[in-house]
Amino acid sequence: MDINWSTTEDDYELIRKITDRANGLLGDVGLGVMMDIIVCHCNGCPLKLEQLLAADDRNFLRDITDIGMHLDRITGKLTDHFLPRFADLESATL
C-alpha cells in the first residue's frame, strides 16, 4: 500500500503554518512534523487543520507529538487506537 501525500493547496498552506508553529514551540523539528501531519491527514484520519492551528498550546502539542508517536510510517495509519483531538471524524476511514 502506497502512502498518499496529496493535499489541496489550502490544506498544504495550513499544514505549513502548523509546522511553523510546532517549530516555534518545540524548537526546529524540521520537516518531520509536516510529513506526519500530511500522512495522517491524507491516509484515513483527516484533521480539522484550522482548529488544530488555532488550538491552545497544550492541545496543539498533544496532537502534534502524539500523531508522531502513533503514526505507522509504512501504512500511514495511526496505531494503538490513538485518535487526535482534532480528527475530522465525519471524514475519517479508521
Side-chain angles (χ1 to χ4, degrees):
M1 176 178 185
D2 291 331
I3 291 179
N4 178 9
W5 293 90
S6 299
T7 66
T8 66
E9 288 183 34
D10 291 340
D11 284 353
Y12 181 81
E13 184 61 25
L14 287 167
I15 293 167
R16 188 192 58 74
K17 290 177 181 178
I18 289 166
T19 303
D20 289 347
R21 181 173 175 201
N23 281 327
L25 292 169
L26 297 171
D28 186 14
V29 293
L31 293 177
V33 166
M34 178 178 273
M35 293 169 67
D36 288 351
I37 297 298
I38 290 171
V39 169
C40 177
H41 186 66
C42 295
N43 292 277
C45 189
L47 300 166
K48 296 177 182 177
L49 297 171
E50 289 180 3
Q51 291 179 18
L52 176 58
L53 180 60
D56 63 81
D57 288 351
R58 184 173 75 68
N59 287 303
F60 177 82
L61 288 172
R62 186 260 187 186
D63 268 12
I64 295 299
T65 57
D66 284 0
I67 287 170
M69 289 189 323
H70 294 282
L71 186 66
D72 182 321
R73 287 167 180 81
I74 295 172
T75 66
K77 303 293 182 186
L78 295 172
T79 63
D80 302 321
H81 306 288
F82 170 70
L83 187 63
R85 291 180 182 174
F86 297 97
D88 183 355
L89 296 179
E90 293 178 10
S91 301
T93 58
L94 305 172

